[in-house]
Amino acid sequence: MDVLLDGKKLAESMQSELAERVAARLKAGKTPPGLATVLVGSDPASQVYVRTKRRTCEKLGMTSTHYDLPPTVSQSELLALIAKLNADSSVHGILVQLPLPSHIEESAVIRAIDPRKDVDAFHPENLGLLAAGHPRFKPCTPAGVIELLVRNDIDPAGQDVVIVGRSNIVGKPLALLLAQKWPGGNATVTIAHTRTRDLAAHTRRADIVIAAAGQAGCITADMVKAGAVVVDVGTNRGPDGKLVGDVDFAGVAPKVRAISPVPGGVGPMTITMLMFNTLLAAG
Ligand code: NDP
């Protein structure tokens, strides 16, 4: 492996640029960008994600307001909170941590967020703008993957990219970003999923493999070509409780040109792009 796609290091440098932009904004007499985070229930992984997002906000000089709701909260109570946050001018971005308990319809919650405050870019209006090539916000994880590539001098243009996973959060919007006619795009994209016939045949011919399946170790060395680039979006808990990706790092790394680790790859980039979107939403 020639290049470790070190998201932790890249995120630190991008975050210090963002902190300077926030400081300049405050100096100009504007209000700090404000992010409201909403967590329903007490899933430990979700608690960690929200805590990290809030800490990063504070580190960059942004404000963060947090709402902890019990797992029994009703959908209408959650929608009422979102309506309140939509109307609050000090809140520029609203983040409802997913997943939500099964009695709450996730798509109804996403649709209730004012699209101008939808810093996750999950709202259908924002997904539509992205598909049309005029995104208001770029979805955080997909945008983070592209920054990780481009800022390591890996231009997706003209490359055969295989994305493993087709979720609305990662696979699908990432394919849209990569296929658009703009810098960081212009790739030839294949989206693979559980109904793909012979996944390895697809990944083996790819110049860039992006794993977003949520299956620990599902991308092995025999599935990638020598000199390829591999980005691991997956975050899975191993039997020992440790965070592992979708890629068998030890097996794949010696064979490829560049690879991102888990942890320390896409995760910190996702948070950085969220901060970027919150600053953008503040105007
Ligand atoms: P989902 O479970 O919503 O989607 C997984 C996708 O992968 C589905 O499209 C599924 O196919 C496909 N898939 C699963 N197993 C296989 C397989 N063996 N072969 C081919 N395709 C497969 O997950 P998300 O998209 O939300 O997340 C994916 C991973 O990325 C998770 O590990 C998640 O934790 C992680 N993640 C990490 C983030 C970060 O910041 N680092 C942010 C967001 C997610 P099908 O549609 O047919 O079921």
Side-chain angles (χ1 to χ4, degrees):
M1 180 236 310
D2 300 325
V3 183
L4 179 72
L5 301 173
D6 186 339
K8 190 166 180 269
K9 203 162 136 198
L10 180 55
E12 272 165 22
S13 76
M14 288 177 73
Q15 284 178 18
S16 47
E17 276 171 38
L18 280 173
E20 279 171 27
R21 288 174 57 186
V22 173
R25 181 188 160 88
L26 297 180
K27 212 168 161 194
K30 293 187 178 176
T31 56
L35 177 70
T37 54
V38 181
L39 177 64
V40 181
S42 53
D43 173 61
S46 294
Q47 283 176 331
V48 172
Y49 292 144
V50 170
R51 204 178 310 133
T52 312
K53 288 165 187 173
R54 298 190 61 212
R55 277 200 194 133
T56 311
C57 262
E58 281 148 24
K59 195 173 90 185
L60 303 192
M62 304 188 186
T63 58
S64 88
T65 337
H66 181 60
Y67 298 83
D68 242 329
L69 303 180
T72 50
V73 73
S74 69
Q75 180 164 318
S76 54
E77 284 169 309
L78 176 55
L79 294 180
L81 171 61
I82 290 172
K84 193 183 105 176
L85 297 173
N86 282 342
D88 184 339
S89 62
S90 71
V91 172
H92 302 103
I94 301 171
L95 181 140
V96 179
Q97 186 65 43
L98 303 181
L100 292 168
S102 55
H103 68 277
I104 297 177
E105 197 194 333
E106 231 163 65
S107 64
V109 173
I110 290 169
R111 281 198 310 272
I113 297 172
D114 182 334
R116 291 162 302 178
K117 298 189 176 189
D118 170 40
V119 283
D120 263 333
F122 293 162
H123 192 288
E125 180 179 311
N126 287 327
L127 213 49
L129 285 169
L130 170 64
H134 312 289
R136 177 185 275 132
F137 302 113
K138 291 183 179 171
C140 304
T141 301
V145 168
I146 292 176
E147 291 294 329
L148 195 55
L149 291 170
V150 170
R151 290 180 186 244
N152 279 286
D153 297 321
I154 298 165
D155 184 355
Q159 302 289 296
D160 281 328
V161 181
V162 172
I163 302 170
V164 187
R166 58 176 164 186
S167 73
N168 286 341
I169 292 173
V170 189
K172 226 182 278 173
L174 180 55
L176 287 171
L177 284 175
L178 283 166
Q180 290 285 359
K181 199 169 183 176
W182 58 32
N186 293 306
T188 306
V189 183
T190 303
I191 306 178
H193 43 76
T194 56
R195 297 294 294 273
T196 297
R197 224 177 336 115
D198 199 353
L199 175 64
H202 289 280
T203 55
R204 240 181 252 131
R205 60 160 184 75
D207 302 309
I208 303 175
V209 176
I210 303 174
Q215 300 285 327
C218 75
I219 305 296
T220 48
D222 59 310
M223 292 171 74
V224 295
K225 74 175 175 188
V229 170
V230 177
V231 180
D232 194 349
V233 181
T235 49
N236 314 288
R237 289 278 158 201
D240 52 1
K242 271 196 186 156
L243 201 60
V244 290
D246 286 354
V247 177
D248 167 22
F249 188 91
V252 171
K255 195 175 172 182
V256 296
R257 176 158 70 96
I259 185 167
S260 70
V262 176
V266 174
M269 295 303 296
T270 296
I271 292 172
T272 305
M273 299 320 293
L274 174 72
M275 298 301 124
F276 180 85
N277 282 350
T278 305
L279 178 58
L280 193 65

